[in-house]
Amino acid sequence: MNLQTKFQMSKFNENDIPGLIRLSASVGWDYDLDEVSTVLAVGMIFGHKNEKDEIISSAAIIPYEGNLASIGMVIVNESYRGYKLGKELTVRCVNAVPSDKTIMLIATPEGKPLYEKLGFHSVSYVHKYINENYIPSIIKEEGYKIEPYSESDFSSIVHIDYLAIGAERRVFLEARIKQAEEVVVLKDSTGKVIGFGMSIIGSDNCILGPIVAKNEQMAKLIINYLAKEKNGKLRIDIPHGQTGISSFLESTGFIKVSQPPIMIKNSNQLPARNQTLYSIAAQIFG
């Protein structure tokens, strides 16, 4: 019997969060209540359940305003692999957005062959870094200052994030700020917002991102500010090409652990970006 026909696909909701967390843990991933809640608030999660009503697979699609969407959280329980559940879910995510919308994902080694068969192709990479003992740096504020985020900064954050990502992420940023443990903004001498960063406390580590800044020095200042008083493991995923930030991270104790590819569909390239993105929010959010 083809077991693929035995499992019906569902669109998950808040009642499914505990099962999604268990599925994530079953493959060694660290999605927790807050992270899954944010995904559901800004996107859609599809998946399958077995005859015991246990969640055995998942995939999420995050549609942003404009010409970009992101796929992530593609998980299939090890006991149910080989029945094309991941393929079925990825196709469902692709079909959930208009056919002319650029879809991106950050692929695992196991998932990359599947995505290539579905028409995705690699365009770049992210570099995943982990730190278990951050070494603070002394970085001068030269004509700008860092301060805690306030609601009056939100429109400015949405705008500079748009220029960094190539799509407006207002709904996502609103949800992510609520989830964040700390949000800071960088302002110039006139009070204009020229950068921002967030730290997100997860079950396994503290994620630093997104981090958007006008230049490398400003990005270092934000990273150092967010990281210097944190306890436990830190994680940051930086876009390919930010070599100065890579060197800075390694000088503060970060170790590069992987370099997964960014893959896209429905386009030859990502939307235009202005090179001010120094750390992504998380791989699921692009």
Side-chain angles (χ1 to χ4, degrees):
M1 178 186 294
N2 182 355
L3 293 186
Q4 185 181 1
T5 64
K6 186 176 180 179
F7 306 117
Q8 295 298 312
M9 189 189 304
S10 302
K11 182 180 178 183
F12 294 140
N13 57 41
E14 289 78 6
N15 296 326
D16 297 301
I17 291 176
L20 288 165
I21 294 172
R22 287 192 292 271
L23 175 66
S24 167
S26 76
V27 297
W29 291 9
D30 59 351
Y31 282 94
D32 60 12
L33 173 62
D34 291 337
E35 191 77 346
V36 179
S37 296
T38 295
V39 175
L40 285 170
V42 301
M44 297 168 280
I45 305 178
F46 303 100
H48 300 89
K49 295 182 179 180
N50 64 13
E51 64 279 0
K52 296 179 182 179
D53 206 36
E54 299 167 329
I55 295 176
I56 59 172
S57 68
S58 70
I61 178 80
I62 316 293
Y64 296 123
E65 298 89 340
N67 188 35
L68 185 66
S70 183
I71 290 176
M73 204 176 180
V74 182
I75 307 170
V76 177
N77 183 286
E78 203 169 282
S79 299
Y80 295 89
R81 293 177 183 173
Y83 301 108
K84 300 184 179 180
L85 301 182
K87 177 181 178 181
E88 185 179 357
L89 290 174
T90 304
V91 170
R92 179 66 183 87
C93 287
V94 168
N95 292 338
V97 298
S99 60
D100 60 349
K101 199 177 188 81
T102 300
I103 303 173
M104 69 172 293
L105 56 83
I106 297 175
T108 62
E110 298 81 10
K112 189 171 182 284
L114 165 64
Y115 303 134
E116 289 174 336
K117 290 178 182 178
L118 294 176
F120 286 84
H121 60 99
S122 299
V123 292
S124 190
Y125 298 87
V126 294
H127 303 264
K128 175 182 174 182
Y129 283 86
I130 296 292
N131 188 321
E132 298 190 19
N133 185 25
Y134 186 76
I135 304 167
S137 295
I138 298 175
I139 302 173
K140 294 182 180 180
E141 298 181 12
E142 300 176 354
Y144 43 84
K145 62 179 180 178
I146 196 163
E147 59 185 54
Y149 162 82
S150 67
E151 289 186 9
S152 61
D153 300 318
F154 183 68
S155 293
S156 296
I157 284 178
V158 171
H159 177 66
I160 64 175
D161 182 78
Y162 166 75
L163 296 176
I165 296 294
E168 185 176 299
R169 303 196 296 177
R170 178 177 297 271
V171 175
F172 163 69
L173 289 169
E174 185 175 27
R176 198 62 163 176
I177 287 170
K178 290 178 181 177
Q179 181 188 353
E181 178 259 352
E182 187 173 16
V183 184
V184 296
V185 293
L186 196 65
K187 295 185 177 180
D188 65 17
S189 59
T190 69
K192 179 182 178 181
V193 175
I194 53 176
F196 74 91
M198 304 183 200
S199 60
I200 309 293
I201 302 297
S203 59
D204 189 46
N205 49 45
C206 174
I207 298 172
L208 304 180
I211 292 172
V212 174
K214 196 171 183 179
N215 60 43
E216 186 179 290
Q217 184 71 7
M218 295 177 184
K220 292 176 182 178
L221 179 65
I222 294 171
I223 293 169
N224 189 62
Y225 187 95
L226 291 172
K228 64 184 178 181
E229 295 186 7
K230 298 291 190 296
N231 295 315
K233 187 188 298 182
L234 301 173
R235 172 177 173 174
I236 188 168
D237 292 40
I238 68 170
H240 185 65
Q242 302 290 14
T243 53
I245 290 297
S246 296
S247 300
F248 168 73
L249 291 175
E250 290 164 6
S251 74
T252 61
F254 277 92
I255 297 172
K256 181 177 171 180
V257 295
S258 64
Q259 183 179 303
I262 299 173
M263 306 185 75
I264 63 171
K265 183 179 173 68
N266 299 339
S267 178
N268 291 325
Q269 59 187 13
L270 287 166
R273 300 180 171 190
N274 67 353
Q275 306 304 313
T276 58
L277 179 66
Y278 286 90
S279 171
I280 66 172
Q283 292 190 9
I284 186 172
F285 300 117

